[in-house]
Amino acid sequence: MFRPLPFNLKENAEKGQEILGKALESVMEHSFNPLDKVGGMFFPFRVDVVDCENCYELFAELPGFSKDAIEVSYNEDGRLKIKAERAASDFAEAKFLCRERKAGTFERSFLIDDVDESGVSVSYDAGILHVILPKLAVKKSCRVFTIQ
């Protein structure tokens, strides 16, 4: 099974305050369609996941990032994490007329419980990260315990 992990304000109050602050700041700056800007705060990049017969295929939009700035990890808890980092612009003191590209760390996490870690492959081309996650050939069975 493949599930995106939702943002949890209780687990990460500091990050929650930061996101809410950015959302409010965005609403104040852009009174003409604030919901579009706020939505991007919760999911920093878009991801498509395809459930194929033998694997999951994940496509993440990460335009403008170099391969070295993207990190994909999978831990024993079944959590896939995609993290990308963009350095602050050289024009930090510039007077922007329009500034939509953000700097910082962007990440998404997904919970996957039936992946064969040895066959995972990752590629990046034309701003699209492509992750292939092979499913385990034999799914873990549910063990039934006897109550004593």
Side-chain angles (χ1 to χ4, degrees):
M1 181 171 29
F2 195 102
R3 294 177 298 189
L5 293 176
F7 182 78
N8 189 332
L9 289 176
K10 284 186 177 181
E11 283 184 14
N12 195 340
E14 184 176 301
K15 185 72 173 174
Q17 287 179 340
E18 177 185 330
I19 287 176
L20 289 175
K22 286 180 181 179
L24 290 174
E25 181 179 306
S26 179
V27 169
M28 299 306 274
E29 288 178 7
H30 306 286
S31 59
F32 58 88
N33 194 10
L35 294 180
D36 183 47
K37 297 288 182 186
V38 173
M41 304 279 176
F42 292 105
F43 297 112
F45 52 89
R46 292 184 170 103
V47 174
D48 291 334
V49 180
V50 180
D51 186 357
C52 300
E53 185 177 334
N54 298 321
C55 67
Y56 297 107
E57 287 194 61
L58 182 141
F59 300 90
E61 289 182 349
L62 294 167
F65 288 94
S66 68
K67 287 181 182 181
D68 296 335
I70 301 170
E71 178 184 308
V72 178
S73 62
Y74 183 79
N75 67 20
E76 61 273 355
D77 295 336
R79 188 177 296 227
L80 173 76
K81 183 164 79 170
I82 301 170
K83 182 177 177 182
E85 191 165 350
R86 181 177 292 136
S89 172
D90 293 335
F91 303 103
E93 299 298 320
K95 181 180 177 186
F96 287 92
L97 298 177
C98 176
R99 185 168 190 179
E100 296 180 347
R101 297 181 312 140
K102 301 294 181 190
T105 302
F106 307 90
E107 67 181 64
R108 298 278 308 266
S109 293
F110 302 89
L111 190 60
I112 314 160
D113 61 357
D114 60 346
V115 170
D116 178 7
E117 295 177 49
S118 64
V120 173
S121 68
V122 181
S123 61
Y124 181 69
D125 185 42
I128 304 294
L129 180 72
H130 183 202
V131 182
I132 299 175
L133 304 152
K135 295 178 182 177
L136 289 172
V138 178
K139 291 192 175 189
K140 298 174 187 174
S141 62
C142 179
R143 190 169 164 200
V144 178
F145 296 95
T146 305
I147 300 173
Q148 297 181 15

